[in-house]
Every structure is written in structure tokens, then in C-alpha cells.
Amino acid sequence: MNDDLLHGGALDHMQTAYPNAPTPWVDLSTGINPWPYPVGALPPSAWQHLPTEAALQACRAAMAHAIGAPEAALLLAPGSELLIRLLPTVIAPRTVALLSPTYGDHARAWRASGADVIETADPLAFAGKVDALVLCNPNNPTGMVHERSQLGQALTRQAARNGWLIVDEAYADLCPALSLTPLAGARNLIILRSFGKFYGLAGLRLGALLGPPALLDSLSHRLGVWPVSGPALAIGKQAYADLAWQAETRNQLAAARRRLDKILLDSGLWLVGGTDLFRLVKTEKAQQLWHRLAEAGIYVRRFDYAPDLLRIGLPSDAAAEHRLAAALSL
């Protein structure tokens, strides 16, 4: 299986591999909002000048307010993926229990650091027994969620061991009640947040880590003097402050997810999980279906560890929904 075509987001590789596919392609391979936050004109200073401390603080304040976190516990960064890779340079757990299946960079980063990684479907069973407990909430690709009360209990057990609870909340904007951000700053808690998925602007590269002061200081030194671009700070500030857009978008995504569910179920696929940004389906013919969809110019996500699963993002309009339904009915 070609690794370039295994993961989502490699539309250029798909176009090369399937040159006869009809265009435009329908890219459903990522869990990114297909209706991005409307970016207006930015002040020339956002492009022309180095990012100012005032701009950084303004974006940080807007984000903290939007996600219900103490501002002092929040560190902005150029995307959460970089933070995942940097974390092993500032903490050194010897044993890491990791929810599985989940976003693959977590396991890769901790294994590369030399940690003993335990991949498990029930990571909370390891609370208080490992140096670091890592999970995504909601999870990607299964959509599994852990309630705030469950994670609070896990944090207590990890703290008793002087271990870490690390929660990747890349999709938590969909369901804010699940988030641990009100607890941000606690000594044994690390939270990762992503901007690009819910706001539909993944190319902006904006994310954050929430944690205790010493950890933020160590990461800040690694990120440097200008960790986030001026345009990202300007757009992030505007989007995080737009609470009405956020509420409307949650409703829009939920409605689109319901339409997608109907398409998938009507085609005979087994719906086994997901979020309001993507759905996970199971079929014995997943690899053949992935290839058939690609030939139809529709790009979905497949998995090397689960050849019977496909993850399918939200079509952006009625035409894309129709193309997906037609290709699935063949």
C-alpha cells in the first residue's frame, strides 16, 4: 500500500495516481470543516511586520475566552502537530499508555523518544500506573469520547503518581462540554488544541498547548521569539472572538453529518463511529471501495492497521453529496 495515498490530505498524489478521475476532486480525506471561517482583508502590518507581542497576547486572550481556559495556562504555537513532537523534549515519561486506534503521531513521537508505549482501547485503566496517559477527546478516527468527570478522576490518579495526563482536544470545539480547559494549568495536565479543523483553516497552522507554567516556559524557549505568524494571529483573534459563528457552525456541521449518515447507511455501509466532522465506516470491501471512489474522483481515508475501515469527511455541497451517493451505489 502506497504510504503517500494511505493518509489524508495528499490530494496532489491522488491526482497523479488517478489521472483519469473526473474533476474537480471531492476531497473527503480529512476531518476539516469544509465551510471555513470567512477571512476578510487583513491589515498590511500582519504581513509586513514581525508579529508583535501585543498581537500574540490578543490572539491568546481571544482563544482562552472561547475555550474557557485561564489565559496564563495557554501557549500558542504553529499547529498542535509540532507540539506533539516537541513534548518528549521537555518531559521524559518512561511508560506511556495511549488510546488506540488514534492519531498516529502520538505513538510515533513517544516511541522515538525511547518511551515504552502501551497502545490500548481502555487507556483510563492505566491511570495511576504509567508516567503518561495520552488520549484524544473526541478521538480520531473512532469518535470515542471521555466525559470530563472520567478524565478528572484519571488526572487525580496520575497526579498521585506524579505522572501526566495528556489530552489532545483537536476536535473539542465540536463539543465544548467535554473539554478539560477549565482545569488548564494543573501541575499534571497537558491539553493540546487545534485551530484548523473546526475553523476550516488548517493551512494557517495555529494551535496551542495548555499546561503548568514550567512546561510552558520550556516549550516557549523551543518555539522561539516569533512562534506564530502575523496573519495567523490576526485571523485567530477574529475567529475565536466570533462566538456567534462558532455556535452556528456547530449546528451546520451537525446537519451535514446527518445528511452524510443517510448517504452512508443507504449504501449499506456499517457506521461505527466518528464526529460531526467525519464518519467512520466498516466494510469487508473497504480497500476495493477506496479504489472505486478514487476512480470517481472522491478521496477518503483508509488505514493500514484496519483494512476494513474508511473515514469519510463532510461533502461541501449538494453536488459533492450527490457524487458520493452515486459512487457508493455502483
Side-chain angles (χ1 to χ4, degrees), residues 263-322:
I263 292 171
L264 299 175
L265 293 172
D266 285 350
S267 71
L269 293 173
W270 182 12
L271 182 59
V272 294
T275 71
D276 280 351
L277 279 171
F278 59 83
R279 307 308 276 161
L280 188 68
V281 298
K282 187 173 185 177
T283 170
E284 293 180 357
K285 299 181 178 179
Q287 300 307 307
Q288 299 97 309
L289 180 57
W290 184 91
H291 176 69
R292 192 173 85 214
L293 290 173
E295 289 183 323
I298 300 172
Y299 180 19
V300 302
R301 173 77 156 86
R302 60 181 176 175
F303 304 92
D304 56 354
Y305 60 80
D308 58 348
L309 295 179
L310 295 174
R311 192 189 70 191
I312 302 175
L314 300 180
S316 61
D317 53 32
E321 290 178 354
H322 177 76

Side-chain angles (χ1 to χ4, degrees), residues 130-205:
V130 291
D131 299 325
L133 180 61
V134 184
L135 54 87
C136 295
N137 194 43
N139 189 40
N140 172 21
T142 64
M144 175 190 287
V145 298
H146 291 90
E147 297 298 328
R148 187 183 290 175
S149 59
Q150 294 177 292
L151 296 181
Q153 293 169 8
L155 177 59
T156 298
R157 293 194 289 271
Q158 283 297 97
R161 180 192 170 91
N162 198 28
W164 293 97
L165 173 63
I166 303 172
V167 185
D168 185 339
E169 295 188 347
Y171 290 96
D173 287 297
L174 296 168
C175 38
L178 295 174
S179 178
L180 286 185
T181 50
L183 303 180
R187 186 169 60 89
N188 301 89
L189 175 64
I190 297 171
I191 303 170
L192 297 162
R193 297 288 299 216
S194 173
F195 176 80
K197 296 175 177 63
F198 178 75
Y199 292 90
L201 297 170
L204 199 65
R205 308 312 303 143

Side-chain angles (χ1 to χ4, degrees), residues 5 39 51 58 97 105 108 110 115 124 128 136 188 210 218 236 239 247 252 263 269 283 288 298 317:
L5 303 184
V39 177
D105 270 6
R108 284 189 286 270
W110 292 114
L124 298 190
C136 295
N188 301 89
L210 297 95
S218 296
Q252 181 181 23
I263 292 171
L269 293 173
T283 170
Q288 299 97 309
I298 300 172
D317 53 32

